[in-house]
Amino acid sequence: MPGPFHPRLEDLPDVIPIFPLGEVLLLPGGRLPLNIFEPRYLNMILDALGSSRMIGMVLPLDNGPLGLGQDRPKVFSVGCAGRISAFSETDDGRLLITLTGVCRFGVGPELDLRRGYRRVQAEWKDFAHDLELPDGIRLDRDRLMTALKSFAARHRMQFDPQIVSALGPLNLVTSLAMLCPLSAVERQALMEADTPQERADTLVTLLEMGAFDSGGMPPGSPM
């Protein structure tokens, strides 16, 4: 059974605030730390803490820095709702929060701004299975590690092989999908993968593509 703080489908809000943030991916079961300092997003977090504690992480279509070029960038049609599972205040007026990924949602019609932040109608039905404990996934760890080592070397990404080897398959796939420096389209492909198994297969393929195309290191190269 899911944990005691895990919401049920009927508990999910009809309207959810969204946080469009490039180069950041949240997936069900993942944990995402965020440093909140912009006034509109401070308002969003404070309002969420007083209600469902849920906010929707979405990727801007252009993957640009937040707030650059346009104040309300277009976003992909699927996001992931996160529950504020921890927060603390700083002396200089920031909020440090942790979001725990709960369930993906379809980005429905956008509503008027509230206290500066964006809100949309959330469409949960197609993603209700995110709320269930997933079955185990098949993962070729040797293939994954070969791709990851070469990908990490090419992208100057550091990781601890001992930590990686200690993670179970599902947590490993979720963590790598959220941490690896991938493009917005690649991150969205991982977001929209129908099942954890499909996400695992997609991740391995993306790592191999990112490591072994022109200029990449060959399989088995040492880090």
Side-chain angles (χ1 to χ4, degrees), residues 7-221:
R8 301 166 298 176
L9 181 62
E10 57 267 30
D11 298 326
L12 299 176
D14 294 331
V15 174
I16 191 168
I18 58 169
F19 194 167
L21 194 56
E23 302 182 358
V24 172
L25 177 66
L26 178 65
L27 292 172
R31 289 180 178 269
L32 178 65
L34 291 172
N35 175 16
I36 308 297
F37 55 87
E38 193 173 341
R40 56 179 166 171
Y41 294 117
L42 289 170
N43 291 340
M44 179 181 70
I45 299 304
L46 292 172
D47 288 351
L49 286 169
S51 56
S52 67
R53 298 178 68 177
M54 304 276 286
I55 66 173
M57 298 301 300
V58 291
L59 285 164
L61 280 169
D62 63 1
N63 201 31
L66 184 64
L68 180 63
Q70 53 180 325
D71 193 50
R72 300 173 72 171
K74 293 181 179 180
V75 300
F76 283 96
S77 60
V78 176
C80 183
R83 179 176 57 84
I84 302 171
S85 52
F87 79 98
S88 62
E89 303 171 356
T90 68
D91 292 339
D92 59 357
R94 293 174 292 121
L95 286 173
L96 306 179
I97 71 170
T98 298
L99 288 180
T100 297
V102 172
C103 184
R104 292 170 295 165
F105 64 95
V107 177
E110 186 160 350
L111 285 68
D112 293 337
L113 294 177
R114 171 175 289 177
R115 301 221 292 159
Y117 62 85
R118 299 169 66 179
R119 302 173 299 146
V120 300
Q121 294 281 349
E123 300 171 354
W124 306 102
K125 183 178 177 182
D126 291 342
F127 306 101
H129 55 280
D130 286 350
L131 297 171
E132 304 169 1
L133 287 177
D135 296 329
I137 60 175
R138 301 180 306 278
L139 187 64
D140 185 337
R141 281 184 176 266
D142 289 340
R143 180 183 171 191
L144 173 65
M145 288 303 298
T146 297
L148 178 60
K149 288 179 180 179
S150 296
F151 181 94
R154 185 175 185 195
H155 293 272
R156 295 179 173 84
M157 171 188 168
Q158 295 184 342
F159 70 95
D160 187 332
Q162 290 186 329
I163 293 177
V164 170
S165 63
L167 291 174
L170 182 60
N171 286 338
L172 176 57
V173 168
T174 299
S175 298
L176 289 178
M178 290 176 57
L179 291 172
C180 286
L182 301 166
S183 71
V185 172
E186 290 168 334
R187 285 187 171 95
Q188 193 65 24
L190 292 167
M191 168 82 76
E192 297 188 26
D194 189 50
T195 64
Q197 183 64 57
E198 182 179 320
R199 184 171 297 124
D201 296 341
T202 300
L203 175 64
V204 173
T205 299
L206 290 175
L207 291 178
E208 290 178 337
M209 290 171 59
F212 306 145
D213 59 5
S214 59
M217 296 176 64
S221 296

